[in-house]
Amino acid sequence: MKKNSVNRRQFISTTAKAGITVGMSLSAIEIFAKGCDNAPDNTNLENTPYEQTPLGYAYNALEPVIDAQTMEIHYTKHAAAYAKALGEATAAENVDKTKTSVEQLLGNISKYSTKMRNNAGGHYNHELFWKLLSPATQGNKPSDKLMAAINKDFTSFDNFKTQFADAGKSRFGSGWAWLVAGNDKKLSITSTPNQDNPLMDVKEVEVKGLPLLGLDVWEHAYYLKYQNKRPDYITAFWDVINWGLVEKRWASIK
Ligand code: MN
């Protein structure tokens, strides 16, 4: 039985890769839109793969903001565990990964188990988070276009930063702070518990939409360097944001 189960999983993994290639022209958010009223209706973003993708930079690339040991444990242990458990949950709950994107799964997550919710969220959130971090962006800011939208929706860039930081600081226990865009491109800030995210169709997600920027405020993301000082970690985070990707995601909403 066990051997068959593994073979089936391998089969699903192989066919999923083929499916992702075939389905590349399908927009993640078009699919996601079926599950959420506030979903942006168009995007050029590719679907998030079900497997972990390479980090894209060295574990020490984000120092001194995020130390190498934290990055290595976070990527190889925590995030890897979410991806593995997501594979188990999709097999157990008969999700056809060739037909269901990670984003579509998240948009309908209320129909699945808690294990699926925690690990589909955990996998998606971390895949996005790694790409939202960049070693060479110190002092970088959004382009004029996104900055104008931030000024419009939050009064000023400083006010936006304060609100985002407050969302991260005030999230009790583990969770995420988010900059979210609705289908009208309007920007909002929210936070979610555990591994929930703004794509999910669950009541605990107060602001739904496309996550543009996310910050992991689980202790595993900062405790080795910052211990109990989550606000210091959040302050340092501004120096390693890949604003180019934030803007690309925002611009994908037509
Ligand atoms: Mn994490």
Side-chain angles (χ1 to χ4, degrees):
M1 275 302 278
K2 196 166 185 184
K3 196 177 172 207
N4 286 344
S5 161
V6 170
N7 286 344
R8 182 165 174 269
R9 223 171 271 157
Q10 286 168 340
F11 171 77
I12 289 168
S13 172
T14 305
T15 52
K17 279 169 192 157
I20 283 163
T21 305
V22 170
M24 279 300 256
S25 62
L26 278 178
S27 126
I29 303 306
E30 275 172 353
I31 294 167
F32 152 62
K34 294 173 188 168
C36 175
D37 290 343
N38 194 37
D41 56 9
N42 188 27
T43 183
N44 298 318
L45 304 175
E46 62 182 4
N47 295 344
T48 300
Y50 276 87
E51 293 80 23
Q52 262 194 310
T53 54
L55 193 53
Y57 42 79
Y59 295 129
N60 66 359
L62 303 173
E63 289 189 343
V65 174
I66 304 176
D67 60 285
Q69 191 183 15
T70 296
M71 284 302 294
E72 181 168 5
I73 295 171
H74 201 175
Y75 179 83
T76 65
K77 306 295 182 189
H78 295 279
Y82 297 125
K84 181 172 180 286
L86 174 59
E88 293 165 3
T90 53
E93 297 175 48
N94 300 312
V95 172
D96 184 346
K97 294 191 282 190
T98 66
K99 293 180 179 162
T100 306
S101 70
V102 173
E103 289 79 2
Q104 184 181 23
L105 189 61
L106 292 167
N108 292 288
I109 205 71
S110 63
K111 299 180 181 68
Y112 296 91
S113 67
T114 302
K115 178 171 179 172
M116 188 78 83
R117 176 173 170 176
N118 288 340
N119 293 290
H123 175 64
Y124 175 88
N125 295 348
H126 287 85
E127 283 293 305
L128 176 59
F129 186 52
W130 310 135
K131 292 175 178 62
L132 286 167
L133 299 173
S134 175
T137 53
Q138 189 156 9
N140 199 6
K141 287 186 174 177
S143 72
D144 290 350
K145 203 171 174 184
L146 179 58
M147 188 65 93
I150 288 172
N151 287 332
K152 175 170 159 284
D153 293 334
F154 303 105
T155 314
S156 69
F157 188 58
D158 281 346
N159 197 34
F160 154 72
K161 285 170 69 176
T162 300
Q163 285 187 41
F164 187 92
D166 286 347
K169 288 180 210 169
S170 63
R171 168 50 55 191
F172 186 76
S174 298
W176 290 74
W178 301 101
L179 173 65
V180 183
N183 54 12
D184 53 2
K185 300 188 79 160
K186 187 169 167 28
L187 305 170
S188 307
I189 287 168
T190 193
S191 76
T192 54
N194 305 313
Q195 294 295 352
D196 287 354
N197 69 45
L199 297 179
M200 290 181 172
D201 65 334
V202 292
K203 68 178 188 311
E204 290 81 2
V205 174
E206 294 163 4
V207 178
K208 295 179 172 66
L210 180 66
L212 304 184
L213 176 64
L215 175 60
D216 188 343
V217 296
W218 283 57
E219 284 188 346
H220 70 224
Y222 64 85
Y223 204 85
L224 289 178
K225 181 177 169 71
Y226 296 92
Q227 292 85 45
N228 60 313
K229 297 186 282 289
R230 187 191 286 184
D232 292 357
Y233 159 69
I234 296 173
T235 299
F237 167 66
W238 298 112
D239 287 339
V240 291
I241 295 174
N242 176 6
W243 281 107
L245 179 58
V246 178
E247 295 187 38
K248 189 178 164 195
R249 296 175 68 78
W250 185 63
S252 74
I253 303 168
K254 303 299 180 193

